[in-house]
Amino acid sequence: MPVPITGLYAALCALLVLALALRIIRLRWRTKAGIGDGGDRRLARAIRIHGNAIEYVPLALILMLIAELNHAGPALLHGCGIALVVARLAHAVGFSRTAGVSIGRSVGVVGTFGVVIVLAATNIAVFVN
């Protein structure tokens, strides 16, 4: 069964994760840090931004895939997909600018958690009904 909506957002998230990885590579070259962060705060932050995306994006996409396979509506799926991409971009930008609290990080966390909660609830509702 085709899953074009999840496929679209998986592709967009993949490009974002690759962009975050390329940023780490660039900083590794600049700092000559082969493993770890070499004590460089920018590199440490870039590694954490990438790691955070790797922790949450797959979970959200798995839930989206299951919801799409369970015939969730396109509006719900696109809404969650757009929210996920925007949240992850906001998180990356906000965290890149400061390791402290920021609007971007807050939008990223709330948006990502919101998507996961909505998709989890959607999948639970399919089971219950």
Side-chain angles (χ1 to χ4, degrees), residues 76-129:
L76 175 94
L77 294 169
H78 281 296
C80 286
I82 290 166
L84 179 63
V85 171
V86 168
R88 297 320 310 167
L89 283 169
H91 184 270
V93 170
F95 200 6
S96 293
R97 293 184 178 159
T98 179
V101 176
S102 72
I103 298 286
R105 281 183 83 183
S106 297
V107 167
V109 170
V110 170
T112 301
F113 281 27
V115 167
V116 169
I117 290 166
V118 166
L119 290 170
T122 298
N123 288 319
I124 290 168
V126 169
F127 176 77
V128 171
N129 292 327

Side-chain angles (χ1 to χ4, degrees), residues 52-95:
N52 188 275
I54 292 301
E55 291 164 1
Y56 289 103
V57 168
L59 174 62
L61 290 173
I62 289 168
L63 289 167
M64 183 181 288
L65 174 64
I66 294 166
E68 187 167 6
L69 289 170
N70 285 330
H71 308 289
L76 175 94
L77 294 169
H78 281 296
C80 286
I82 290 166
L84 179 63
V85 171
V86 168
R88 297 320 310 167
L89 283 169
H91 184 270
V93 170
F95 200 6

